[in-house]
Amino acid sequence: MKEAIQLIIQIAAANGIGRLVIGQNGILSTPAVSCIIRKIRAIGGIILTASHNPGGPNGDFGIKFNISNGGPAPEAVTDKIFQISKTIEEYAICPDLKVDLTTIGKQQFDLENKFKPFTVEIIDSVESYANMLRNIFDFAALKELLSGQNRLKIRIDAMHGVVGPYVKKILCEELGSPANSAVNCVPLEDFGGHHPDPNLTYAADLVETMKGGEYDFGAAFDGDGDRNMVLGKHGFFVNPSDSVAVIAANIFSIPYFQHTGVRGFARSMPTSGALDNVAKATKITLYETPTGWKFFGNLMDANKLSLCGEESFGTGSDHIREKDGLWAVLAWLSIIAARKQSVEDILKEHWQKYGRNFFTRYDYEEVDSDSASKMIKDLEAMMLDRAFIGQKFSVGDKTYTVERADNFEYSDSVDGSISRNQGLRIIFSDGSRIIFRLSGTGSAGATVRLYIDSYEKDPQKIYQDPQVMLAPLVTIALKISQLHEKTGRTGPTVIT
């Protein structure tokens, strides 16, 4: 990564960029990059991260470009970059220019044929971002929660990603949680040999530790710090779709929203309808968008959106234009401080009030691309046949009637763009949904994602095991799609 940073500096210097701002040792979390772009009014930012369309020799290196609002570049920008990349024949570079990434401060370089010196500023990786959070949350209340007489015992796993220094500085040093409450906080280029994905599969060490009952609250973050997983005592799992709904229902526990008010809520289409239930009860507008944070960013820039989330462990608000893992954890801690209840009690009360969306996602990875594409094409043809609407599917004592079936498309109310083919949706008369999405049709094969979402308001049933409650819909999904037969894959990864 250090080599890539030096190359980017050399190319930027040779192509008319006047000033670069870089985190010390090349470390900045994705939320911090968004924060800094907005703070210094930069024209954009480059993020090097394994989380974004990984390339490189080991498939663990990706490059992402964020625009001046601090959010991911929209398709119009990335498409143009791609077109230019196909015709480029040469590029300018200053090969001898070397920057010291370890020392905070400005470094200036006089270049040939340039009127002004080229400036590189190395900044503290955490400070700007931490200062922003101080203006969003009640740090005094959080400090009392984490270091007071009846302190909440937390366990935070940074998974050797970039968020480690942020956790140490903010949660431990500033808010007073003991130093040993945060683990794996040294950023490593290979993430310590582990996969830095904050879910039950890859954060299994944290799950096991939490099951012991010593800690009241647990959280894990991904490699670049924008995604998060929240756990309660004894490993009580908070589904990401529920997480954003709970934050929405308790949004005024966060001082920032007391000042700004709430403009709207949004979720990605595959995310469960838990947020919809809160929006309906509070009469706040809800937007359903394709997967991708840039769609949320457009709504935020138009002052239509305050809080949003995705089922893939991403939660955030309009304070920046990226999802923000540490922000989500501080939001949860603020709710706990205000309500003085455990994670589990907060969630159970939430289900009693709003009902529960049982939700699961299965990933069939490295499926033959042609087989996966044909399966989706056949499924779409069947779904769009008029005879499909009204069809009944029975499993055990449950019968589901198809009310609607489509290939989700989204018309952006801000820029007028239309995003088509965003996922096949089967919506039943009780509001339950089955969703199929195809992603990543690359050399390693495709990934077929299957999402199941079912709403339950019966107080006798809301505490059941999700896999048991969703089994009938999973059976129907596999029967309709013939996914196992058509792709030759029978063992998905259960993500949530």
Side-chain angles (χ1 to χ4, degrees):
M1 189 176 79
K2 300 274 171 67
E3 295 89 336
I5 292 170
Q6 295 291 350
L7 268 174
I8 290 167
I9 294 168
Q10 291 165 1
I11 293 170
N15 286 276
I17 298 295
R19 178 186 174 209
L20 292 178
V21 175
I22 304 172
Q24 190 177 20
N25 298 312
I27 297 287
L28 281 174
S29 71
T30 291
V33 171
S34 185
C35 163
I36 292 162
I37 288 172
R38 293 170 69 79
K39 181 186 172 188
I40 67 170
R41 299 199 168 121
I43 57 170
I46 294 171
I47 303 171
L48 311 177
T49 157
S51 294
H52 300 286
N53 301 322
N58 301 312
D60 62 353
F61 184 85
I63 298 177
K64 183 180 168 202
F65 179 65
N66 280 26
I67 57 173
S68 58
N69 75 345
E75 281 161 15
V77 174
T78 52
D79 286 349
K80 195 161 185 185
I81 292 170
F82 177 56
Q83 294 306 324
I84 293 169
S85 76
K86 290 195 291 187
T87 59
I88 196 165
E89 291 179 354
E90 61 179 18
Y91 61 91
I93 187 168
C94 297
D96 300 326
L97 196 153
K98 288 279 186 292
V99 168
D100 174 9
L101 299 173
T102 63
T103 307
I104 290 174
K106 287 183 180 175
Q107 299 167 50
Q108 293 195 320
F109 303 86
D110 290 314
L111 305 176
E112 281 181 43
N113 306 321
K114 303 287 181 195
F115 297 116
K116 287 163 84 176
F118 172 64
T119 303
V120 178
E121 186 176 354
I122 307 300
I123 59 167
D124 182 288
S125 304
V126 180
E127 193 45 49
S128 289
Y129 175 78
N131 198 44
M132 175 186 68
L133 293 184
R134 288 181 198 113
N135 291 317
I136 292 172
F137 298 102
D138 182 345
F139 267 38
L142 291 173
K143 187 165 187 175
E144 177 60 29
L145 178 75
L146 297 179
S147 60
Q149 204 167 3
N150 300 308
R151 73 176 182 85
L152 189 81
K153 291 187 177 177
I154 67 171
R155 177 79 165 187
I156 307 294
D157 190 343
M159 298 184 85
H160 289 301
V162 297
V163 86
Y166 297 82
V167 168
K168 281 288 190 193
K169 178 87 170 51
I170 296 165
L171 284 173
C172 298
E173 290 174 28
E174 188 151 351
L175 297 178
S177 194
N180 62 4
S181 60
V183 296
N184 300 323
C185 285
V186 177
L188 298 173
E189 289 200 14
D190 68 347
F191 306 110
H194 298 289
H195 190 64
D197 220 341
N199 59 42
L200 296 173
T201 302
Y202 294 115
D205 288 353
L206 176 67
V207 175
E208 280 308 305
T209 302
M210 291 301 296
K211 280 180 179 173
E214 184 186 342
Y215 298 97
D216 306 303
F217 178 93
F221 303 101
D222 70 337
D224 65 326
D226 59 356
R227 293 184 300 125
N228 74 98
M229 176 176 72
V230 170
L231 299 170
K233 199 164 189 166
H234 304 297
F236 183 87
F237 173 62
V238 179
N239 187 296
S241 302
D242 280 336
S243 181
V244 67
V246 168
I247 295 171
N250 296 276
I251 198 159
F252 294 116
S253 301
I254 301 165
Y256 175 83
F257 295 110
Q258 295 168 17
H259 300 303
T260 65
V262 180
R263 300 181 178 104
F265 297 140
R267 62 167 175 83
S268 63
M269 183 273 286
T271 302
S272 95
L275 184 61
D276 308 39
N277 305 329
V278 178
K280 193 174 176 184
T282 54
K283 296 185 170 56
I284 289 169
T285 305
L286 179 106
Y287 300 92
E288 182 181 32
T289 72
T291 298
W293 213 258
K294 54 183 174 263
F295 298 103
F296 296 145
N298 263 6
L299 291 166
M300 290 172 185
D301 285 349
N303 288 320
K304 293 184 172 189
L305 179 60
S306 295
L307 175 74
C308 50
E310 295 181 331
E311 49 72 36
S312 51
F313 297 87
T315 322
S317 91
D318 61 350
H319 65 291
I320 53 171
R321 297 295 180 267
E322 286 279 8
K323 43 191 173 277
D324 190 343
L326 192 49
W327 175 92
V329 164
L330 292 182
W332 262 95
L333 292 173
S334 298
I335 293 165
I336 292 167
R339 293 185 54 158
K340 297 178 171 50
Q341 286 176 294
S342 69
V343 171
E344 186 170 347
D345 287 345
I346 288 168
L347 214 52
K348 284 182 172 176
E349 271 193 23
H350 183 89
W351 293 334
Q352 284 165 7
K353 183 173 181 179
Y354 298 100
R356 180 178 183 183
N357 281 76
F358 287 95
F359 179 83
T360 193
R361 171 179 138 199
Y362 296 105
D363 281 5
Y364 293 81
E365 294 171 317
E366 296 183 13
V367 174
D368 176 71
S369 292
D370 292 339
S371 300
S373 297
K374 186 177 186 311
M375 184 212 83
I376 293 289
K377 200 174 176 184
D378 292 349
L379 180 59
E380 183 172 13
M382 182 184 73
M383 283 170 50
L384 298 183
D385 187 318
R386 283 185 188 172
F388 190 66
I389 305 299
Q391 209 165 314
K392 294 183 189 305
F393 296 91
S394 296
V395 179
D397 62 348
K398 295 279 283 186
T399 299
Y400 296 89
T401 305
V402 178
E403 188 174 272
R404 187 176 165 196
D406 62 15
N407 192 335
F408 181 66
E409 70 173 49
Y410 175 72
S411 177
D412 194 305
S413 62
V414 179
D415 65 14
S417 63
I418 296 174
S419 302
R420 296 185 171 88
N421 303 313
Q422 295 297 313
L424 301 180
R425 300 189 299 176
I426 301 170
I427 303 170
F428 297 97
S429 56
D430 69 343
S432 297
R433 301 182 305 154
I434 295 173
I435 295 158
F436 297 88
R437 284 184 69 237
L438 183 62
S439 66
T441 51
S443 57
T447 297
V448 178
R449 303 194 202 281
L450 167 61
Y451 308 83
I452 312 283
D453 177 20
S454 183
Y455 179 67
E456 182 60 67
K457 59 179 181 290
D458 183 344
Q460 304 303 312
K461 294 181 179 176
I462 56 175
Y463 302 137
Q464 298 287 325
D465 180 342
Q467 297 302 324
V468 173
M469 291 295 287
L470 294 171
L473 279 168
V474 174
T475 303
I476 292 167
L478 296 178
K479 183 182 175 184
I480 291 171
S481 65
Q482 295 183 295
L483 196 152
H484 290 173
E485 296 84 344
K486 290 186 176 178
T487 64
R489 290 291 300 276
T490 55
T493 302
V494 181
I495 301 296
T496 52

